[in-house]
Amino acid sequence: MSHRDTTTVTPAGTGTAPAGSPPSQHRATASTQVVPGPAKQRDAFFDNAKYLTIVLVAAGHAWEPLRDGSRAAAALYMLVYTFHMPAFIVISGYFSRSFDASPERIKRLVTQLVVPYVVFETAYTLYTRWTDQAPDRPISLLDPLYLTWFLAALFVWRLTTPLWRTVRWPLPLALTIAALATVAPIGDDLALQRTLQFLPYFVLGLCLKPEHFQLVRRRWVRLPALLVFAGGLAVAYWAVPRMTTAWFLHDDSAVELGAPGWYGPVMTLVLFGCSLLLVACFLAWIPGRRTWFTALGAGTLYGYLLHGFVAQGAKFWGWYEPAWVHRPLGEIIVTAVAVTVVTVLCTPPVRRVFRFVVEPGTEWAFRRTAATKPSGVRGGTRTAPGR
């Protein structure tokens, strides 16, 4: 597994709406919002989507060491990597629509992204010095390591949100930038190559409205969605020996992948179309009601940041060395273990233990503004959780 593997997660706590309301009534914001009265209930649809996507993230990591000996595992890996990352980023963009760079939202951005980035960038560097037998690996906050790249990318995307909400044709502009980012190497600073190549998905999320999610959730869409996934898996199975999965990581230019420069813009448009089709099909099967895993959607940031330690350790401890692991039953067991681990990491007990590093309290570091000062009225204004 590359240290710059493509797994992502939206920050825990986004996506709230009145209980039982359809998506067309949702009101979502990207960061802190002051509201009167009790906190609003979370939107089950988006919590379900986030949990199921983090499950695919963990499964993809579990399949990565199995690809060389199993064409089926490689095909599943390619299919999942076509859409799970775009799905996360589209949802992240959707819940960033109201980001306006106000002081309160900047504070929340620092708490949700900057502090966890620094903590986990340091932790993963120290951990992989051991698991990768690389004792001299430097701690660099400019070169995101492993899972932390998404925190850096989301920070950049959100800071630019006011710009994308202002320009006349945001999505075509973002696609142009992404296409240009595939022509030549850019460098590793803040995962800029990947940040720019995935930018159109975030901008698309900014442009979406609740009714767009309602369209893909209609009952008649589900059967065609299954057929699309079946066709996508067949194409992936065919493409395994003919195409490198590095295209789906969006971490390199076309030249670095051994292709002519003009391949990059073409692949940008092709992959964008394929990814969005699969994202729509994926969302078509997301339940809108509360299920046993709905509450886990609030903890996907924990599952995302913590499961990487298990994924890295599994290879170091030789869990993939037995021959039976690379047979069909072994691959099923590996998948089940990965799903179980990431599910546990999203649960409230784990979140309570690790909240001090994933969602640290940083109020002491900021000046109090009028929006955060006590109103002096019992039951007055308070900050809605998870915004």
Side-chain angles (χ1 to χ4, degrees):
M1 183 191 312
S2 156
H3 285 304
R4 289 170 180 76
D5 206 2
T6 75
T7 56
T8 65
V9 66
T10 52
T14 56
T16 60
S21 66
S24 60
Q25 297 175 356
H26 298 169
R27 290 288 184 256
T29 58
S31 50
T32 307
Q33 179 185 24
V34 178
V35 296
K40 295 180 181 179
Q41 293 187 0
R42 300 177 62 88
D43 180 355
F45 171 75
F46 287 105
D47 276 341
N48 292 339
K50 290 192 294 180
Y51 167 75
L52 293 175
T53 313
I54 198 63
V55 164
L56 293 177
V57 168
H61 279 161
W63 296 333
E64 195 273 341
L66 303 174
R67 292 181 299 159
D68 290 340
S70 171
R71 187 170 177 177
L76 285 170
Y77 180 91
M78 182 179 291
L79 179 68
V80 165
Y81 270 69
T82 304
F83 75 91
H84 77 58
M85 176 72 171
F88 267 128
I89 299 175
V90 167
I91 292 175
S92 296
Y94 179 72
F95 285 107
S96 297
R97 293 174 300 158
S98 298
F99 184 84
D100 57 5
S102 64
E104 286 306 311
R105 296 184 191 278
I106 292 295
K107 291 178 185 179
R108 190 62 178 169
L109 196 63
V110 170
T111 301
Q112 281 190 337
L113 300 178
V114 176
V115 175
Y117 172 76
V118 173
V119 170
F120 281 90
E121 175 70 16
T122 303
Y124 271 117
T125 300
L126 297 176
Y127 186 68
T128 56
R129 283 179 181 178
W130 171 54
T131 59
D132 289 348
Q133 300 295 294
D136 298 327
R137 176 168 289 154
I139 297 175
S140 173
L141 298 182
L142 291 179
D143 185 8
L145 181 69
Y146 197 36
L147 303 176
T148 60
W149 76 268
F150 182 71
L151 299 180
L154 187 56
F155 178 78
V156 173
W157 292 331
R158 280 204 173 148
L159 282 182
T160 62
T161 293
L163 169 65
W164 299 113
R165 300 289 290 171
T166 302
V167 298
R168 187 181 297 273
W169 299 291
L171 187 56
L173 178 59
L175 280 169
T176 300
I177 293 174
L180 293 175
T182 65
V183 174
I186 294 177
D188 296 328
D189 289 352
L190 293 180
L192 190 57
Q193 192 103 42
R194 183 177 281 175
T195 299
L196 295 180
Q197 290 189 30
F198 275 118
L199 175 63
Y201 301 100
F202 182 82
V203 174
L204 174 65
L206 292 175
C207 299
L208 291 178
K209 298 179 181 179
E211 49 265 31
H212 294 132
F213 290 95
Q214 186 69 13
L215 285 175
V216 300
R217 295 177 60 194
R218 295 181 178 180
R219 190 178 300 273
W220 64 267
V221 178
R222 293 181 177 179
L223 179 57
L226 285 180
L227 297 177
V228 169
F229 268 114
L233 183 58
V235 171
Y237 191 85
W238 171 86
V240 164
R242 298 173 174 86
M243 180 180 179
T244 174
T245 54
W247 285 107
F248 301 93
L249 307 184
H250 295 278
D251 197 30
D252 298 293
S253 65
V255 174
E256 291 172 304
L257 296 178
W262 62 268
Y263 270 47
V266 172
M267 289 298 294
T268 297
L269 297 177
V270 171
L271 290 178
F272 185 74
C274 293
S275 296
L276 289 190
L277 178 61
L278 290 175
V279 168
C281 293
F282 170 69
L283 293 176
W285 279 92
I286 299 297
R289 66 185 185 282
R290 293 193 62 82
T291 66
W292 65 268
F293 55 80
T294 299
L296 301 178
T300 50
L301 183 60
Y302 293 79
Y304 170 69
L305 290 173
L306 296 174
H307 88 279
F309 293 102
V310 180
Q312 286 288 307
K315 294 182 293 183
F316 177 75
W317 295 316
W319 292 0
Y320 287 92
E321 292 178 2
W324 67 267
V325 173
H326 298 267
R327 298 177 185 139
L329 179 60
E331 293 170 352
I332 293 174
I333 293 176
V334 166
T335 304
V337 170
V339 172
T340 301
V341 168
V342 78
T343 298
V344 171
L345 293 176
C346 292
T347 58
V350 173
R351 289 158 53 192
R352 284 193 293 269
V353 171
F354 290 99
R355 180 170 286 120
F356 75 102
V357 290
V358 179
E359 294 182 285
T362 58
E363 292 81 3
W364 58 270
F366 298 103
R367 296 179 180 178
R368 300 181 70 181
T369 62
T372 57
K373 291 179 180 178
S375 63
V377 180
R378 187 176 182 181
T381 60
R382 61 179 175 178
T383 302
R387 294 304 218 158

